[in-house]
Amino acid sequence: MSNALDVTDSTWDPTVLQSTTPVLVDFWASWCGPCKAMGPYVDKLAEDFKGRLKVVKINTEDNPEIPSRYGIASIPTFLLLKNGAVVKQMVGAVRKYDDFKGMVEPHL
């Protein structure tokens, strides 16, 4: 079971945009190998920053509206939102957890 919350097109606004804590969004699909490879990193980030960072996942196949709104063309893509605004974006998989963690830490 993942430590990240699943969001949908319909739950995006209250879960992500109205969050009082920064939110890391994982745009993924079930057929995406690099997305699956990043899964343990996403879960570890959710665990390491519990209470300071909300970590969510959105399946781009089942929820096309939000990825389209943010211009997501490749997956995995990770957006870090703070007060409803994108403050950081990362496209693709990373090899080391510390690189992934380093993307988030300065914004907490």
Side-chain angles (χ1 to χ4, degrees):
M1 177 147 170
S2 177
N3 292 326
L5 301 170
D6 287 316
V7 294
T8 63
D9 287 339
S10 61
T11 62
W12 178 264
D13 286 3
T15 306
V16 177
L17 297 184
Q18 297 170 14
S19 177
T20 57
T21 57
V23 182
L24 178 75
V25 182
D26 176 5
F27 290 87
W28 71 284
S30 60
W31 51 263
C32 171
C35 298
K36 290 178 184 177
M38 289 298 293
Y41 289 174
V42 171
D43 288 341
K44 183 164 175 37
L45 207 65
E47 185 179 315
D48 288 352
F49 291 108
K50 189 174 186 173
R52 295 176 42 203
L53 176 71
K54 185 184 292 186
V55 179
V56 302
K57 297 172 71 96
I58 185 164
N59 185 318
T60 58
E61 288 183 302
D62 299 337
N63 302 281
E65 181 186 321
I66 297 303
S68 178
R69 184 189 305 176
Y70 287 86
I72 305 302
S74 298
I75 54 174
T77 291
F78 301 92
L79 296 182
L80 183 61
L81 290 92
K82 198 170 185 180
N83 300 318
V86 176
V87 295
K88 187 77 175 170
Q89 178 175 339
M90 184 181 83
V91 179
V94 295
R95 292 182 156 200
K96 294 191 271 183
Y97 173 71
D98 287 342
D99 294 341
F100 192 47
K101 183 178 170 184
M103 170 191 144
V104 173
E105 270 184 312
H107 301 283
L108 299 181

